[in-house]
């Protein structure tokens, strides 16, 4: 009977830790999406320096969570988002092509949304 209680306690602990992980990841991605939407608005207004500073802040926040992200997620997903952040930064810094910048930012927002959705338990994710 003791083994059953220990097993149930471990399962409960894993469920709680998974929920905490999902909440932390959702908070991170929501914050980054908000910053990227603000950067997209500045790109639309052609305020390139302000858009670049917001994107730089988003990149710093992403990099500051690298240990958490590399511990809990697939490295390919993390690397893809990191590459997209650098790509967006390059477009903002050099070409200043509004359409291209908005497309890169939209793809990055989509990647962040999908990253958070993949972690939520659902029938689709379990199968």
């Amino acid at each position: 009977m003791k083994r059953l209680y220990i097993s149930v306690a471990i399962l409960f602990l894993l469920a709680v830790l998974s929920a905490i992980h999902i909440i932390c990841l959702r908070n991170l991605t929501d914050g980054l999406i908000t910053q990227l939407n603000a950067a997209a608005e500045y790109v639309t207004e052609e305020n390139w320096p302000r858009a670049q500073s917001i994107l730089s802040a988003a990149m710093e926040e992403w990099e500051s969570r690298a240990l958490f992200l590399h511990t809990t997620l697939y490295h390919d997903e993390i690397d893809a988002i990191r590459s997209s952040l650098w790509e967006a930064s390059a477009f903002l810094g050099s070409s200043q092509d509004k359409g291209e910048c908005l497309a890169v930012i939209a793809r990055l927002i989509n990647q962040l949304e999908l990253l958070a959705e993949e972690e939520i338990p659902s029938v689709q994710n379990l199968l």
Side-chain angles (χ1 to χ4, degrees):
M1 193 64 155
K2 186 177 180 180
R3 288 182 184 176
L4 177 65
Y5 290 140
I6 291 172
S7 298
V8 169
I10 289 172
L11 284 174
F12 179 75
L13 178 65
L14 288 174
V16 168
L17 290 175
S18 294
I20 291 170
H21 163 70
I22 291 168
I23 291 168
C24 290
L25 184 62
R26 177 58 78 178
N27 288 340
L28 172 63
T29 57
D30 286 349
L32 291 172
I33 289 169
T34 300
Q35 288 178 312
L36 292 171
N37 282 327
E41 287 180 30
Y42 284 115
V43 167
T44 303
E45 298 168 3
E46 297 187 9
N47 186 347
W48 302 105
R50 185 68 182 133
Q52 182 67 42
S53 69
I54 290 174
L55 184 63
S56 295
M59 290 174 72
E60 287 176 19
E61 184 173 352
W62 180 259
E63 293 299 327
S64 72
R65 305 282 180 95
L67 178 64
F68 166 72
L69 295 169
H70 282 285
T71 304
T72 59
L73 300 172
Y74 292 117
H75 293 275
D76 292 343
E77 295 169 346
I78 298 166
D79 294 340
I81 291 173
R82 186 174 187 212
S83 295
S84 294
L85 283 166
W86 281 105
E87 183 181 6
S89 180
F91 273 110
L92 284 173
S94 62
S95 68
Q96 297 184 354
D97 180 6
K98 186 169 37 172
E100 289 289 332
C101 287
L102 291 173
V104 170
I105 290 172
R107 185 178 71 229
L108 186 53
I109 289 170
N110 186 46
Q111 285 176 320
L112 290 167
E113 288 172 345
L114 290 175
L115 181 69
E117 286 177 14
E118 287 175 352
E119 296 299 310
I120 297 172
S122 68
V123 174
Q124 182 181 5
N125 288 347
L126 294 175
L127 299 177

